[in-house]
C-alpha cells in the first residue's frame, strides 16, 4: 500500500505517533488509508449538506475494511459570485481544487480517494485531480436541487435572473420578483436545471468515474445517502483490483462523454472542462471533434434552460443510464470502456430503460438529428467559439446585426438595463476571457436580462468570456483567441455587422481583411481588471479557452 510509506517500519514511529495524536489506533493504521475530500461549506447551497454525504462515504469505507480520513477543499457558488468582482474567482478555483487534492493525497501517501463535489468548478477540479494523481478514486456528488411549481411554471435559479430582467422592462412587479426569489431554490443541492454543475455531475457517470445515479438522484433523497455508502465500499474494491482513474478516463471514455453531452444538451462550460480533464489524463480533445460528434448525435433531452424539464424529471425518466443505453442501441457509444463499478459501461447500462419519452426522447424521435452544442468558426473566432444550440430559438439560428461593443460585462449589463439594446443587435462583450478577465467570468445577468425583456429571439450575444449553464438564447462564448491575446474580437468596432449561422457553424465579422489589418496597427489591449493576487498569477499561466483554459508554466 502507498500508505506504508508513512506507517510501516521502525523509522515511521514519528509518523505513527502523529496519526495516533489524531486518535487513530494501530488497527486503523493497519488498514488502507482512504482520503475523503469534502467540499462542504456554509455558503454554497449545493454544498451545505455534504457532511451528510461524507458521513455516509466514511461508513461505506469502514464497512469494507478501510480507514477513512476526511479533508476539505473550497467551493465557489457561481450564482452568488455572478455579476460582480467575485466571478473572476470562479473558473480559477478549478485549478486550486485540483492542486489542494493533489497536495493532500501526495503529502500523506493516501491509498485511494473518494471525492465529494457538487457545483460548477468543483466537479471538474476533482476529476482533474483524480486523473493527475491516478490512485483508485470514486466521485460521489451531493445531488441536484428540486424544482417546484409556482406561478404555473417549474422554477429554478434562472427564473429569478430573468425575473429581474422582466422587472427592469416593466413586465413584472417587485412583489412578483420576491415571490420568485422565495420559491426558485427550495432545497439544498446543485441548481435544478441542466446547468454546468448538473452537466458535469451527469458526465461523471458517463466518463465512468461516478456510480449510476450520481448525476440525477436529488440531493434530499435518501437514495443519495445510500449511493454515498456504496461509493465508500466501491473504492475499496477498486483498490483491491488496482483500477485507477487513467484506466477509466480513456480517449473512448471522453468520446462517450461528448456524445452524451450532445444528447442531453449540457452546458457550454462542459467544452471548457472536458478538455481540461482529458489533458490531465493524457488525452487530447480538439474542438473540431466536438462538431464531428455533435453532427452524428441526436439531441434527446431539452432540460432547463433549453426546455421545461429539470434534473428530477430526468431522474424519474430513467436518468443518464437510460440515455446512454438508448445511444448504445444506436451504436453511438463505446460500450467496452471501464467504470468505477468494475464493469464495462455496456454492462452497467444494459438494463436501463426510458420511463418517460416526454423527457428522454428515443433515437427515432429526437428533438433534432444533431447535438445540443455547436462550435462556430470564422474571422472573429479563428480558433472557435461555442453555443448551446439546444437553448437557441430556431429564429436565431441565422442572424445578422450591428455590433454593440463593450469592454466588460458590467458595461454591457448597464446598457441592457438602460434600454440601449434593441432588436437585431449583436452584443459583443470582450476582455472577459481566461487571461483578459482575468478568469473568464460567467455571464448569466446579461443573458437573463435579454430574455427577461423578451429579446432573446431577437438579440445575439458573443464574448471571449463564457455563459452560465443556465443561459438560453443565442449566447456564443469562448471566442478564441481572446481580445487580451490579440484576438480579432478585440478589433470589432461599434456598428460593424456580424453574421451568425449556427447550423453552418460560422460566425463572420463583415469587415474586410485590409480594414482589420489597419485596425491591428493601432490595437492596444485593455489591461486586466485585477493585477494582484492569485487571479493575476493565473492570468500569466492560463491558455486559450479553446484548450479548456488549462495552465502552462
Amino acid at each position: 500500500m502507498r500508505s506504508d510509506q508513512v506507517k510501516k517500519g521502525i523509522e515511521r514511529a514519528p509518523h505513527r505517533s502523529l496519526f495516533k495524536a489524531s486518535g487513530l489506533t494501530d488497527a486503523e493504521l493497519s488498514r488502507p488509508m482512504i482520503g475523503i475530500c469534502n467540499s462542504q461549506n456554509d455558503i454554497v447551497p449545493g454544498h451545505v449538506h455534504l457532511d451528510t454525504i461524507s458521513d455516509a462515504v466514511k461508513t461505506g469505507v469502514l464497512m469494507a475494511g478501510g480507514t477513512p480520513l476526511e479533508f476539505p477543499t473550497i467551493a465557489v457558488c457561481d450564482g452568488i459570485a455572478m455579476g460582480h468582482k467575485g466571478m473572476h474567482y470562479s473558473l480559477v478555483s478549478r485549478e486550486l481544487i485540483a492542486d489542494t487534492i493533489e497536495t493532500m493525497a501526495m503529502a500523506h501517501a493516501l491509498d485511494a480517494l473518494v471525492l465529494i463535489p457538487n457545483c460548477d468548478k468543483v466537479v471538474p477540479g476533482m476529476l482533474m485531480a483524480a486523473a493527475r494523481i491516478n490512485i483508485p478514486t470514486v466521485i460521489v456528488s451531493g445531488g441536484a436541487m428540486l424544482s417546484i411549481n409556482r406561478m404555473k411554471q417549474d422554477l429554478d435559479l434562472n427564473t429569478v435572473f430573468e425575473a429581474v430582467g422582466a422587472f427592469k422592462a416593466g413586465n413584472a412587479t417587485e412583489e412578483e420578483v420576491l415571490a420568485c426569489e422565495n420559491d426558485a431554490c427550495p432545497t439544498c443541492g446543485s441548481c435544478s436545471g441542466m446547468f454546468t454543475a448538473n452537466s458535469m455531475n451527469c458526465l461523471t457517470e458517463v466518463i465512468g468515474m461516478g456510480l449510476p445515479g450520481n448525476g440525477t438522484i436529488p440531493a434530499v433523497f435518501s437514495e443519495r445517502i445510500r449511493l454515498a455508502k456504496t461509493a465508500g465500499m466501491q473504492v475499496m474494491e477498486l483498490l483491491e483490483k488496482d483500477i485507477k482513474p487513467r484506466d477509466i478516463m480513456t480517449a473512448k471514455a471522453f468520446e462517450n462523454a461528448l456524445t452524451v453531452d450532445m444528447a442531453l444538451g449540457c452546458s457550454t462550460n462542459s467544452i471548457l472542462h472536458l478538455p481540461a480533464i482529458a489533458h490531465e489524463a493524457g488525452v487530447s480533445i480538439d474542438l473540431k471533434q466536438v462538431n464531428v460528434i455533435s453532427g452524428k448525435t441526436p439531441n434527446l433531452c431539452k432540460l432547463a434552460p433549453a426546455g421545461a424539464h429539470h434534473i428530477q424529471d430526468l431522474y424519474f425518466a430513467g436518468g443518464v443510464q437510460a440515455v446512454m443505453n438508448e445511444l448504445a442501441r444506436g451504436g453511438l457509444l463505446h460500450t467496452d470502456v471501464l467504470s468505477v463499478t468494475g464493469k464495462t459501461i455496456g454492462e452497467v447500462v444494459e438494463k436501463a430503460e426510458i420511463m418517460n419519452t416526454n423527457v428522454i426522447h428515443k433515437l427515432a424521435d429526437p428533438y433534432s438529428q444533431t447535438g445540443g452544442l455547436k462550435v462556430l468558426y470564422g474571422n472573429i473566432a479563428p480558433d472557435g467559439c461555442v453555443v448551446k444550440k439546444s437553448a437557441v430559438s430556431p429564429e436565431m439560428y441565422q442572424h445578422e446585426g450591428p455590433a454593440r461593443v463593450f469592454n466588460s460585462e458590467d458595461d454591457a449589463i448597464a446598457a441592457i438595463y438602460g434600454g440601449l439594446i434593441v432588436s437585431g443587435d449583436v452584443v459583443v462583450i470582450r476582455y472577459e476571457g481566461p487571461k483578459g478577465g482575468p478568469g473568464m467570468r460567467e455571464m448569466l445577468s446579461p443573458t437573463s436580462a435579454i430574455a427577461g425583456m423578451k429579446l432573446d429571439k431577437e438579440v445575439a450575444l458573443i464574448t471571449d468570456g463564457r455563459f452560465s449553464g443556465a443561459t438560453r438564447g443565442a449566447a456564443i462564448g469562448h471566442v478564441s483567441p481572446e481580445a487580451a491575446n490579440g484576438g480579432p474580437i478585440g478589433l470589432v468596432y461599434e456598428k460593424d455587422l456580424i453574421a451568425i449561422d449556427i447550423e453552418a457553424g460560422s460566425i463572420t465579422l463583415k469587415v474586410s481583411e485590409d480594414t482589420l489589418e489597419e485596425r491591428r496597427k493601432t490595437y492596444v489591449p485593455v489591461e486586466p481588471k485585477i493585477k494582484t493576487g492569485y487571479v493575476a498569477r493565473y492570468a500569466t499561466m492560463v491558455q486559450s479557452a479553446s484548450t479548456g483554459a488549462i495552465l502552462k508554466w
Side-chain angles (χ1 to χ4, degrees):
M1 290 187 291
R2 291 179 76 252
S3 61
D4 287 349
Q5 300 171 64
V6 293
K7 64 186 187 184
K8 279 288 183 77
I10 192 66
E11 298 84 1
R12 296 297 180 254
H15 303 66
R16 291 192 296 273
S17 181
L18 290 167
F19 280 122
K20 289 177 179 179
S22 298
L24 295 183
T25 64
D26 286 325
E28 288 172 301
L29 289 174
S30 70
R31 300 169 187 155
M33 296 172 64
I34 312 301
I36 315 295
C37 183
N38 183 2
S39 56
Q40 190 275 340
N41 63 53
D42 291 342
I43 301 172
V44 184
H47 293 242
V48 294
H49 66 301
L50 293 188
D51 279 351
T52 302
I53 304 299
S54 180
D55 286 345
V57 170
K58 287 188 278 188
T59 297
V61 170
L62 288 167
M63 289 167 64
T67 296
L69 299 170
E70 183 177 353
F71 62 90
T73 192
I74 63 169
V76 170
C77 177
D78 277 23
I80 296 173
M82 197 78 66
H84 62 97
K85 188 175 181 179
M87 184 46 75
H88 292 287
Y89 291 82
S90 173
L91 180 61
V92 306
S93 72
R94 186 185 74 181
E95 317 306 317
L96 282 176
I97 290 160
D99 290 350
T100 55
I101 295 170
E102 176 192 4
T103 299
M104 290 298 288
M106 300 306 292
H108 303 107
L110 300 175
D111 294 304
L113 295 166
V114 179
L115 307 178
I116 308 172
N118 213 25
C119 291
D120 294 35
K121 308 311 157 305
V122 192
V123 183
M126 288 190 173
L127 284 165
M128 289 165 65
R132 185 187 304 172
I133 303 163
N134 202 35
I135 60 177
T137 302
V138 177
I139 311 285
V140 58
S141 301
M145 184 183 291
L146 293 179
S147 171
I148 59 173
N149 190 281
R150 293 286 191 273
M151 300 179 286
K152 298 181 181 179
Q153 63 176 322
D154 292 326
L155 305 181
D156 54 50
L157 179 66
N158 195 34
T159 316
V160 194
F161 275 95
E162 292 189 6
V164 174
F167 174 79
K168 295 285 187 179
N171 297 326
T173 66
E174 191 169 351
E175 290 74 20
E176 287 171 328
V177 175
L178 177 61
C180 183
E181 169 189 331
N182 287 338
D183 289 341
C185 299
T187 70
C188 61
S190 50
C191 293
S192 56
M194 188 54 80
F195 310 149
T196 305
N198 290 324
S199 293
M200 295 310 302
N201 280 329
C202 287
L203 295 180
T204 299
E205 284 188 50
V206 185
I207 293 172
M209 291 298 295
L211 294 169
N214 183 67
T216 59
I217 299 170
V220 294
F221 282 20
S222 298
E223 187 180 355
R224 176 63 58 176
I225 296 173
R226 298 197 298 272
L227 182 78
K229 289 179 181 177
T230 304
M233 292 185 284
Q234 191 59 34
V235 77
M236 297 301 295
E237 181 178 323
L238 295 181
L239 180 60
E240 181 182 350
K241 293 180 178 178
D242 195 31
I243 298 174
K244 300 185 180 73
R246 291 195 185 189
D247 300 323
I248 295 168
M249 288 193 278
T250 62
K252 285 184 176 181
F254 284 103
E255 287 179 16
N256 282 349
L258 287 170
T259 298
V260 177
D261 190 331
M262 300 307 156
L264 287 174
C266 291
S267 164
T268 52
N269 283 313
S270 64
I271 306 304
L272 271 181
H273 298 319
L274 288 175
I277 299 162
H279 175 74
E280 295 286 359
V283 175
S284 176
I285 293 179
D286 185 272
L287 285 187
K288 290 183 173 61
Q289 186 181 3
V290 175
N291 275 351
V292 170
I293 291 175
S294 180
K296 63 183 181 182
T297 306
N299 180 213
L300 304 181
C301 300
K302 276 195 177 291
L303 298 144
H309 299 131
H310 290 79
I311 296 298
Q312 66 207 44
D313 301 308
L314 180 60
Y315 166 76
F316 286 117
V320 176
Q321 304 295 304
V323 175
M324 292 173 70
N325 194 25
E326 183 68 9
L327 293 169
R329 286 170 175 165
L332 294 171
L333 282 189
H334 300 290
T335 56
D336 58 339
V337 294
L338 194 61
S339 81
V340 291
T341 63
K343 301 175 182 178
T344 66
I345 288 294
E347 292 172 315
V348 171
V349 306
E350 65 181 347
K351 294 183 180 178
E353 296 292 339
I354 297 173
M355 308 301 291
N356 184 340
T357 54
N358 290 322
V359 178
I360 305 172
H361 282 211
K362 297 275 192 175
L363 285 171
D365 179 35
Y367 282 103
S368 68
Q369 292 294 338
T370 56
L373 299 181
K374 185 81 172 183
V375 178
L376 314 181
Y377 293 93
N379 65 345
I380 196 172
D383 295 337
C385 54
V386 184
V387 64
K388 187 170 184 175
K389 179 186 170 187
S390 61
V392 179
S393 295
E395 300 97 308
M396 290 297 291
Y397 284 176
Q398 291 182 316
H399 180 78
E400 182 174 314
R404 306 300 310 281
V405 182
F406 303 94
N407 286 342
S408 73
E409 176 193 11
D410 313 86
D411 291 345
I413 291 172
I416 295 166
Y417 284 156
L420 301 180
I421 303 303
V422 299
S423 177
D425 284 348
V426 178
V427 177
V428 177
I429 306 175
R430 61 194 183 190
Y431 298 103
E432 292 289 4
K435 178 180 179 180
M440 203 178 185
R441 285 198 286 182
E442 190 172 84
M443 302 180 204
L444 185 54
S445 294
T447 57
S448 295
I450 291 289
M453 294 174 177
K454 309 299 184 185
L455 290 172
D456 54 298
K457 297 180 182 179
E458 302 168 15
V459 170
L461 295 91
I462 70 170
T463 181
D464 54 7
R466 60 197 179 91
F467 291 111
S468 166
T471 289
R472 63 186 174 96
I476 301 164
H478 309 189
V479 170
S480 300
E482 61 177 293
N485 279 334
I489 190 173
L491 306 178
V492 181
Y493 282 16
E494 187 80 3
K495 301 298 184 179
D496 283 348
L497 285 179
I498 296 176
I500 299 162
D501 190 331
I502 292 175
E503 292 280 20
S506 69
I507 182 166
T508 306
L509 175 62
K510 301 189 83 172
V511 173
S512 72
E513 185 54 42
D514 288 344
T515 300
L516 291 177
E517 190 57 41
E518 285 300 312
R519 292 180 184 180
R520 284 190 188 95
K521 293 176 182 177
T522 57
Y523 175 66
V524 179
V526 172
E527 291 189 359
K529 303 171 189 68
I530 299 176
K531 299 178 182 178
T532 60
Y534 169 59
V535 173
R537 282 202 315 278
Y538 173 91
T540 67
M541 296 183 286
V542 70
Q543 305 300 296
S544 169
S546 62
T547 71
I550 62 173
L551 299 187
K552 286 191 176 179
W553 53 90

